[in-house]
Amino acid sequence: MSEQNIDSADRQTLEAMANDLGVQFKANIGDDSLRARIKQQLGQPADNEGGAAAGSAGPTPDNAASTDQAAPGESKRTKRFKIIVATHDQDKQPVQVGVNGRNYVIERGKEVAVPESVVEVLRNAVQAQYDPKTMEETKVMAYPFQVLGEA
């Protein structure tokens, strides 16, 4: 979902996007505030912010912390890493990761900064695939990703 689609979306579409992404909002929220929350959930910078914490998720105040500050529930000393989750032909939805009651929505194919705990969860997210001829099980990453370095 591109930033342009969000900017041009009508109220009904915005509410549907917010519900799909798990963004909590009150019925009387303004369209611009709702757009900002959706963009924040997707890790995109909002128009009125210098850049919300990319990859951070969950309902947060409109004056959310920038990338050089810790997100709520995180220590300022928490290591953060820049990662890119691989795109997938069949699944275009953002990857949702939950760690200690905090949810992170990571848009595929975009560089985001996430805490070390999110990287560990993604590393441990494996699924079994079976060879149809031999029925041998192979473990593969559920969400292939690349660590670009420390943020």
Side-chain angles (χ1 to χ4, degrees):
M1 164 176 346
S2 73
E3 191 170 337
Q4 193 173 36
N5 292 346
I6 296 169
D7 290 336
S8 63
D10 63 357
R11 178 62 183 209
Q12 186 176 6
T13 306
L14 287 173
E15 288 182 4
M17 282 185 214
N19 287 329
D20 289 345
L21 293 170
V23 174
Q24 295 179 356
F25 61 94
K26 293 182 180 180
N28 64 350
I29 190 171
D31 290 356
D32 291 335
S33 296
L34 188 55
R35 278 187 186 92
R37 286 191 183 182
I38 291 169
K39 287 179 182 181
Q40 181 181 7
Q41 186 80 346
L42 292 172
Q44 298 175 358
D47 296 335
N48 61 350
E49 296 176 359
S56 68
T60 55
D62 289 332
N63 59 353
S66 66
T67 53
D68 58 343
Q69 294 177 344
E74 289 180 17
S75 164
K76 288 186 180 182
R77 295 182 184 163
T78 301
K79 276 188 180 179
R80 296 180 66 83
F81 291 92
K82 293 179 187 175
I83 66 167
I84 296 179
V85 177
T87 56
H88 195 280
D89 294 345
Q90 297 163 350
D91 187 5
K92 305 221 183 279
Q93 294 296 317
V95 175
Q96 297 184 21
V97 177
V99 179
N100 294 330
R102 180 148 175 84
N103 293 316
Y104 297 84
V105 178
I106 304 167
E107 194 168 341
R108 294 174 186 266
K110 298 213 176 172
E111 182 179 317
V112 295
V114 295
E116 185 175 19
S117 57
V118 172
V119 174
E120 191 63 28
V121 168
L122 289 171
R123 210 173 263 137
N124 291 325
V126 295
Q127 59 189 19
Q129 288 187 344
Y130 295 92
D131 183 342
K133 293 180 183 176
T134 63
M135 291 308 291
E136 284 187 35
E137 179 183 58
T138 305
K139 299 277 186 181
V140 296
M141 293 180 79
Y143 307 104
F145 69 99
Q146 179 179 11
V147 177
L148 302 175
E150 219 172 303

